[in-house]
Amino acid sequence: MNKSNHFDLSSTSNIKPENSSMTTVNILGRLRIATEQVRKVQSNLVKDGSSDQVETLDKVGKELDGILYNLVEILSDDTRQSEINVTSNDGQISKWLEQTFSSKQQRSSTAAQRFDSIRAIIQASSFVNALQRQMRQNAKERVSAILDLPVDIHKLNSWSFNMMEYDEPMNFSILLIFDAHDIITRFHIDIETLKNFNRALTDGYQKFRTPYHNDFHGADVLQTTHCLLIKSNLMSVFTQLEIAALLFAAAIHDYEHPGLNNGYLVKTKNDLALTYNDFSVLENHHASSVFKLLRDKRYNIWSHMNTNEFRSFRSLVISLVLATDMANHASLIERLSTYFFFKETNSTATSADSKTLLQTLLHAADISNAAKPWNIYIHSAEKVIEEFFIQGDLEKLNYQDDKPTFDRESTDIVQLQIGFITHIVHPTFDVLLKVVQIDSLENVKKDTSATANLTNPIIPWQNDLQLNLETWKQISKHADMEQMILSRKPFKLNFDYLQEYVEKAKTFLKKRSQHDLLLNRPPSS
């Protein structure tokens, strides 16, 4: 074997096991190279007709594949704690990012329980073909007409759909999206029961009348999750039960949200924190409350599931909702990055961590407003910032010795948005894009029919995310910060003022694109 194909482990031999992530990555690389060499020799022997050696090498190759999968399974353990390191001039914002979006908590890792065992994504060929699903989805126009809904599924297929333009969005978004994915037919959901459930879900979201975490946010996350599925060709990757669990989790993920975060509830010894022992307090409450709601036959849309099917469904929904705890952000991105490494460097692998991918899709949808067109993003930013400030007001009353996380008198809104996009939103969509491209291309290869989609998946968020970040950067360079933080309450942004900087950002990005094009132009002959 070529010496250059081997990794040198001498530099990692002294690393302790608990801190040996790089050692594990090196082992993955070495096993990947060994597997490729075995397959190469096997291919050559097939040409030469050496059947005995081929059979032996095939067994060795399968064993190496199994070892690789087991290592990825270990790396994909969703109880591993991770943290993010933020470099920012604003210590308050850095502290918030590090504390809110990392899972390093004061609990014993030995006490943490794993959710379901990591299992492989079943091959796309065993599912309903993605193209057929798309065709069925396009035939769902009749539902909006029959039920007299204000929109149709084609509007919900758009990344730029603005949920805030419609009243009671849960009522139409769940009906249309569930129908588009054949969930209503597959699970024999009664339409009247579904309407009753939608009404009860809306009531729960509106319980505390929060500025941001209300039924508009729940419906928006559901619609965005739907977009991520259909625009990335991921419908052929998951089973219908998994898709149903993902969309249901998206719809319910913030049910009865009080507009206060877990840290505040724990610190004030809120009843919810005491009920759930300070662990993913809100997320546990969202899931638990909805499943309690389903005990009432008026709202039980899943009544036709058999016992085993419902058990699997419920388990997956709970794991997905719990994964929306922002403290899991760093761990989740690390696990998906591990999966990307495995898929990118090992062409012989046929398995992946489907639950981590489902969790990342929902997490991405949950924080997706910054990746939407500016007019949608800026209105949602205004609402979530006001919700932060309300918590800050309460912290001033209840935390005698502590500075509030968000003080409406002093928080730098611009740096807050820059930090959030740079350290949270962009890394999430970046790693998701890499994995989505790999899975989509693999599914295209498996579909050998004449109607196979041979184009790359449409990625709608890239331009919006870049423009939104650059807009805030332009504001930070030129804007008078006092104009951004107005004295009146509740917090309001000056949209006309901000629009000037959107145009500046567009101009800057256009010039930068032209500059990059010139730099990348091949020299003339």
Side-chain angles (χ1 to χ4, degrees), residues 140-389:
K140 299 301 180 180
E141 300 175 8
R142 56 184 177 81
V143 176
S144 60
I146 292 172
L147 298 177
D148 192 25
L149 301 178
V151 299
D152 59 27
I153 190 61
H154 296 297
K155 288 188 177 180
L156 295 186
N157 290 346
S158 171
W159 183 257
S160 59
F161 179 78
N162 189 350
M163 195 66 69
M164 287 181 283
E165 293 179 353
Y166 299 88
D167 295 328
E168 298 188 336
M170 278 294 181
N171 292 336
F172 64 80
S173 59
I174 292 180
L175 279 164
L176 288 171
I177 292 172
F178 276 25
D179 190 57
H181 292 274
D182 287 321
I183 293 171
I184 294 175
T185 302
R186 164 64 179 80
F187 298 103
H188 308 289
I189 296 175
D190 177 72
I191 294 296
E192 290 305 315
T193 304
L194 183 55
K195 288 181 179 179
N196 292 338
F197 175 78
N198 293 346
R199 179 69 260 168
L201 192 65
T202 298
D203 290 343
Y205 267 105
Q206 294 177 345
K207 182 177 180 179
F208 296 98
R209 302 185 180 277
T210 57
Y212 179 75
H213 287 100
N214 49 41
D215 55 322
F216 290 94
H217 172 66
D220 178 63
V221 171
L222 170 61
Q223 186 264 338
T224 303
T225 303
H226 162 72
C227 276
L228 289 173
L229 278 174
I230 65 171
K231 293 185 182 299
S232 60
N233 297 335
L234 284 173
M235 289 192 295
S236 62
V237 174
F238 304 120
T239 65
Q240 197 156 21
L241 186 71
E242 287 174 322
I243 291 175
L246 174 64
L247 294 173
F248 184 68
I252 71 166
H253 82 284
D254 274 333
Y255 177 75
E256 292 189 345
H257 197 296
L260 304 164
N261 64 23
N262 285 332
Y264 179 87
L265 298 178
V266 170
K267 205 162 187 177
T268 56
K269 297 181 177 62
N270 184 275
D271 286 346
L272 287 179
L274 297 178
T275 298
Y276 297 109
N277 298 317
D278 300 345
F279 174 71
S280 295
V281 177
L282 287 170
E283 293 71 30
N284 272 297
H285 175 69
H286 304 321
S288 176
S289 298
V290 168
F291 279 105
K292 287 178 182 176
L293 186 66
L294 292 176
R295 293 186 302 189
D296 189 326
K297 64 180 181 180
R298 293 175 299 171
Y299 310 125
N300 187 9
I301 60 178
W302 310 111
S303 60
H304 289 96
M305 281 188 180
N306 62 49
T307 302
N308 290 334
E309 194 172 41
F310 184 74
R311 184 183 296 115
S312 298
F313 172 81
R314 170 173 152 78
S315 177
L316 182 54
V317 169
I318 291 171
S319 73
L320 290 171
V321 174
L322 289 177
T324 63
D325 183 349
M326 293 303 173
N328 294 324
H329 165 82
S331 174
L332 187 59
I333 299 309
E334 181 182 293
R335 284 189 283 120
L336 197 67
S337 298
T338 300
Y339 164 49
F340 172 65
F341 168 84
F342 177 69
K343 296 288 285 183
E344 184 186 46
T345 59
N346 181 20
S347 59
T348 65
T350 58
S351 60
D353 177 3
S354 62
K355 190 173 68 176
T356 295
L357 186 50
L358 288 164
Q359 290 172 337
T360 308
L361 284 170
L362 182 52
H363 176 55
D366 198 14
I367 60 173
S368 66
N369 287 135
K372 295 288 184 73
W374 176 262
N375 65 310
I376 299 175
Y377 161 55
I378 197 62
H379 277 89
S380 64
E382 179 186 76
K383 293 178 183 301
V384 75
I385 289 169
E386 173 58 23
E387 195 170 287
F388 286 161
F389 285 167

Side-chain angles (χ1 to χ4, degrees), residues 4 17 30 44 114 132 135 137 159 166 195 242 259 263 267 296 345 358 387 390 420 431 441 492:
S4 63
R30 292 173 63 193
N44 292 334
R114 294 194 67 181
Q132 293 174 335
M135 292 172 63
Q137 177 188 323
W159 183 257
Y166 299 88
K195 288 181 179 179
E242 287 174 322
K267 205 162 187 177
D296 189 326
T345 59
L358 288 164
E387 195 170 287
I390 291 173
F420 179 62
V431 70
L441 292 175
K492 294 287 183 181

Side-chain angles (χ1 to χ4, degrees), residues 49-81:
S50 304
S51 58
D52 293 340
Q53 291 89 338
V54 169
E55 184 177 348
T56 300
L57 284 173
D58 184 56
K59 291 179 180 178
V60 173
K62 288 179 179 178
E63 182 66 20
L64 288 171
D65 284 340
I67 294 171
L68 277 166
Y69 175 69
N70 289 335
L71 280 171
V72 172
E73 187 178 45
I74 293 169
L75 285 173
S76 297
D77 183 352
D78 56 11
T79 64
R80 295 168 70 221
Q81 295 183 341

